[in-house]
Amino acid sequence: MNRHRRGTSIALKLLILLTVAVGLVIAAQAWLNIRSARKSSETEAEQTLLNLYGDYTNQVRALEDSAAALSTSLAARSDIQDLFLARDRAGLVILLAPLFETLAANHDLVHLSIEGPTGIVFARIHRPTQYGDNVSYRRAVAVALRTRSTVSGIEVGANHLGIYSPSPLLYNGESDAAARGNFMGLIEVALDYDQSFIEGLKMHNGADYRMWIAREAVEATPLGPTLEALPAPTPLLFYYAGTTTAAQGVPAEVFETVLQSGEPAIEFVSDAGGEYAVLVAPIEAYGERTIGALEIIVPHADVRTNWQRGPIWAALIAGGLGLLAVGATVFLVDQTGLRQLQHLTDVIQRQLEGDRSAQAAIKTNDEIGRLGHAFNALARQLDETLQGLEETVGQQTAELRRRSSLLEAASEVGRIAAAVSDELELAAQTTTLVLSRFNLYHASIFFTDSKREWAEYIAGAGAGAATLDKEKLRLEVGARSMVGWCIEHGQSRIAQDAVGDKVRLDHSLMPETRSEAAFPLVARGQVIGALDVQSSQAGAFDPDMVAALEIIADQVAAALYASRLLEESKEAAIAAQRVYGEMSRQAWLDLLHERSEWGYRYADQEVSSVEGGWRPEMLQAAWTAQMVVEESEEGALLAVPVQVRGQVVGVLRFRKRANETSWSAEERTLIENLVTQLEQALESGRLFLETQRRAAREQLTRQATSRMRETLDIETVLQASAREIRETMALEHVAIRMVAPGEAGGPGTDDSLESMEAKEKETDDE
């Protein structure tokens, strides 16, 4: 009996076909995961390097600001100016050496020098024996000399790199009034920018750094490679400093491109020690000059090293088996099954290429059909997941941009505060900036009055600002208002719902306010005002905005405090000068009254005293305090008043020979300069004379007192006192009387005055 051989069942065929399809899906997904993981790893490494480069840039800028602040503060010191004016090099070294040692130990100060107006070094505090060389070849010094302003940046020194900051020395001391305001030179500081700087960066973030310096940038200096220096990647560079000696193998053309373009580049390299991501960035010196290259190196573990572990390896095995199964089962399925599988494969490929709308067309309800449905459901779920991730990333990016904008606004207020000294201008610019950057309805600044009872509107922007400025709005401190409460308590107050806040005070000029916040302006522990901001949106002040506005309020308060201190210092200086000027003028009047005839004449190579009346041109010069010029055939005359502290104390009269009938402009200028020097010399002489007289009086007083104390006998003391007082003060008569209270003629009795007068008259008669 014949038996038909059993053919392969459709279930088995479909099972085999399903296995093949699943294998293809797994293999495709594994490939996609590998590519995505590698791209994500490289993107993450690139972002890490960019963040490290940004941190390096911020560190350099912070050091530049610190160096500029230090040099500016030193340039403003009058003791340094006086010593430099006196050309006292040793005094400068003695004064500044302790300060340099302290700053070198605590703040990495490596350079402190003083240069003249042509760039010649007058004194090096860090190397006192080296001076006299010209450093104007350094661009920062050249610019500071030309513009007479403070600059800062990376510069190539004699034997190291540093962050240099020269500041102009403008004389404002008291020892030489004629030199006040003159440009004397520069005071220059430099902070460390070499091995210790990059070691600090590595300690901070764990990355490795290397500095390569362009040979062209150091041609004018002795700086060059050391014997232990690493081999340079290109002949254009030499090794300067670093935290690793491992060679990462970055191509030379990368360094050359960075040096030419001034833009950073990222390379992924490997050596025997592993794989690394390397950022090569230009080292920019002052004046936007590229003087070298900086390498930032971080380890980078490639995804390919994990291919043999985990689900990726399993997916690759399954994919390989699936491909083998396709070859084994191609003869076991019919034409229809192959078409459906081919269609499903095409849809998968479209999904892999980014067409997330691709769906499998299902024509059957068998296992292949159910597989298609499952694939479509998986594709839809994956699409929804990706859309959610994109939305989340978009929201986070927007939030980061917003925070960055808030911090940028706070930073810009800081720059305004540093540049603007006028309080009203500072308040106006701050409120305008806050209004625009924070998208607010109204912003205003209030200052407290001298009694701290009222908060006065100073400046504002937005709704009602112009009207409030004209009305000169005042709010009582502690009364019902956000500003009054904020100033009284010294704390910020936030009203997310302005309508329901019990403290807030409505204003007709701002009807659309829905939320309001007030921030105190606190300087040195004292509330000097408030920053008030209002929004037309309820709940507008989130924690990030509140933090940024508090920073702005602190910056404004600090700037206002500094401005007021400056004004008080100026007023005190003016008052002191005024008092000193009055004292000087009175002293000259007293001195001139002592000698009615006081003058000298030089003629025929002889100096003689002058007596008698003043000539008309001299009287005119004294009364008008102006130069008087008379030109005649008998000889040109010139009378110039001598003034000390605005007081005319004398007149100089010049006369030419008979054939010289005029004064040239150069001669007048020369005479004016000579008179100015004479005025200074006369004032110095008066001060010296006054000092001598005071010393003489004090010496006479000490001698008289010493003689009075030579004995303890009362009779002798009284006699010696009367004698010494009469002789010391050149008096005609001195009387000392001793009497008990209550006795006739003594203190406390009715006849004391008459009795004393009678007795003194008798003594005088005798």
Side-chain angles (χ1 to χ4, degrees), residues 591-760:
L591 184 61
L592 294 174
H593 288 160
E594 294 177 4
R595 299 181 62 174
S596 58
E597 295 290 341
W598 198 0
Y600 295 93
R601 176 177 180 270
Y602 177 80
D604 299 328
Q605 298 183 351
E606 292 184 358
V607 177
S608 59
S609 60
V610 179
E611 297 180 355
W614 285 31
R615 296 180 179 273
E617 62 272 12
M618 298 177 69
L619 291 174
Q620 181 181 354
W623 281 107
T624 62
Q626 299 290 330
M627 178 186 293
V628 176
V629 180
E630 293 185 3
E631 298 179 349
S632 65
E633 296 180 354
E634 297 178 355
L637 291 176
L638 184 67
V640 184
V642 180
Q643 302 183 64
V644 178
R645 300 285 178 181
Q647 173 73 35
V648 177
V649 299
V651 176
L652 284 173
R653 178 178 177 270
F654 303 88
R655 189 183 70 181
K656 287 190 172 184
R657 297 180 178 87
N659 58 347
E660 298 178 358
T661 60
S662 63
W663 296 92
S664 66
E666 291 79 4
E667 291 174 330
R668 296 183 186 182
T669 301
L670 176 60
I671 290 175
E672 288 178 347
N673 293 334
L674 292 175
V675 171
T676 300
Q677 297 298 322
L678 174 62
E679 292 169 349
Q680 296 175 2
L682 288 175
E683 177 66 5
S684 299
R686 183 195 64 78
L687 291 175
F688 180 70
L689 178 61
E690 183 178 334
T691 302
Q692 286 184 320
R693 290 181 174 181
R694 185 182 296 111
R697 288 196 299 268
E698 291 177 355
Q699 183 177 3
L700 291 175
T701 302
R702 286 194 300 269
Q703 292 175 354
T705 303
S706 176
R707 291 169 183 169
M708 293 178 191
R709 295 177 178 176
E710 288 178 351
T711 179
L712 296 178
D713 181 68
I714 296 177
E715 293 292 339
T716 305
V717 168
L718 292 175
Q719 294 174 9
S721 299
R723 182 174 59 255
E724 293 299 331
I725 292 173
R726 179 178 179 276
E727 293 177 357
T728 300
M729 301 186 65
L731 300 176
E732 180 181 357
H733 172 75
V734 175
I736 301 177
R737 300 278 183 165
M738 305 292 290
V739 63
E743 293 183 358
T749 62
D750 294 338
D751 61 343
S752 60
L753 180 61
E754 292 80 356
S755 175
M756 292 293 292
E757 291 177 348
K759 291 179 179 180
E760 289 182 2

Side-chain angles (χ1 to χ4, degrees), residues 385-715:
T385 301
L386 291 176
Q387 288 181 355
L389 289 175
E390 290 176 352
E391 292 177 358
T392 301
V393 171
Q395 292 173 357
Q396 292 178 351
T397 302
E399 183 65 20
L400 288 175
R401 289 177 178 173
R402 179 175 176 273
R403 291 180 181 177
S404 176
S405 177
L406 295 178
L407 293 177
E408 184 180 353
S411 175
E412 190 168 348
V413 169
R415 290 193 293 271
I416 293 174
V420 179
S421 59
D422 182 73
E423 294 184 359
L424 295 180
E425 181 65 20
L426 173 62
Q429 292 192 24
T430 299
T431 53
T432 301
L433 177 66
V434 169
L435 184 78
S436 60
R437 288 299 186 90
F438 292 83
N439 194 23
L440 297 173
Y441 178 55
H442 176 82
S444 56
I445 289 180
F446 292 79
F447 290 168
T448 57
D449 62 359
S450 59
K451 297 182 179 180
R452 204 171 171 272
E453 295 177 351
W454 295 91
E456 300 175 344
Y457 178 89
I458 299 301
T467 305
L468 290 176
D469 187 50
K470 294 179 181 179
E471 293 180 354
K472 302 300 180 184
L473 175 65
R474 302 177 72 202
L475 298 175
E476 186 176 359
V477 175
R480 182 174 176 267
S481 70
M482 296 282 287
V483 172
W485 188 95
C486 166
I487 294 177
E488 181 184 29
H489 295 84
Q491 300 176 0
S492 302
R493 184 173 180 86
I494 315 297
Q496 300 289 11
D497 181 11
V499 177
D501 192 89
K502 297 180 180 180
V503 173
R504 183 181 176 275
L505 179 65
D506 290 331
H507 200 288
S508 60
L509 294 176
M510 290 159 281
E512 299 181 14
T513 298
R514 296 296 178 267
S515 57
E516 183 177 358
F519 304 92
L521 304 180
V522 182
R524 300 284 180 171
Q526 182 180 3
V527 181
I528 61 175
L531 169 65
D532 181 73
V533 291
Q534 302 180 28
S535 174
S536 59
Q537 303 293 328
F541 301 104
D542 57 23
D544 292 333
M545 183 181 291
V546 170
L549 289 171
E550 287 178 343
I551 293 174
I552 290 175
D554 292 340
Q555 290 177 331
V556 173
L560 292 176
Y561 183 77
S563 176
R564 292 180 179 181
L565 280 182
L566 179 61
E567 290 299 324
E568 291 175 359
S569 300
K570 290 180 179 178
E571 293 176 359
I574 292 174
Q577 292 178 353
R578 187 182 300 114
V579 170
Y580 179 75
E582 291 296 331
M583 294 175 61
S584 177
R585 285 192 289 271
Q586 184 61 42
W588 272 107
L589 290 176
D590 296 340
L591 184 61
L592 294 174
H593 288 160
E594 294 177 4
R595 299 181 62 174
S596 58
E597 295 290 341
W598 198 0
Y600 295 93
R601 176 177 180 270
Y602 177 80
D604 299 328
Q605 298 183 351
E606 292 184 358
V607 177
S608 59
S609 60
V610 179
E611 297 180 355
W614 285 31
R615 296 180 179 273
E617 62 272 12
M618 298 177 69
L619 291 174
Q620 181 181 354
W623 281 107
T624 62
Q626 299 290 330
M627 178 186 293
V628 176
V629 180
E630 293 185 3
E631 298 179 349
S632 65
E633 296 180 354
E634 297 178 355
L637 291 176
L638 184 67
V640 184
V642 180
Q643 302 183 64
V644 178
R645 300 285 178 181
Q647 173 73 35
V648 177
V649 299
V651 176
L652 284 173
R653 178 178 177 270
F654 303 88
R655 189 183 70 181
K656 287 190 172 184
R657 297 180 178 87
N659 58 347
E660 298 178 358
T661 60
S662 63
W663 296 92
S664 66
E666 291 79 4
E667 291 174 330
R668 296 183 186 182
T669 301
L670 176 60
I671 290 175
E672 288 178 347
N673 293 334
L674 292 175
V675 171
T676 300
Q677 297 298 322
L678 174 62
E679 292 169 349
Q680 296 175 2
L682 288 175
E683 177 66 5
S684 299
R686 183 195 64 78
L687 291 175
F688 180 70
L689 178 61
E690 183 178 334
T691 302
Q692 286 184 320
R693 290 181 174 181
R694 185 182 296 111
R697 288 196 299 268
E698 291 177 355
Q699 183 177 3
L700 291 175
T701 302
R702 286 194 300 269
Q703 292 175 354
T705 303
S706 176
R707 291 169 183 169
M708 293 178 191
R709 295 177 178 176
E710 288 178 351
T711 179
L712 296 178
D713 181 68
I714 296 177
E715 293 292 339

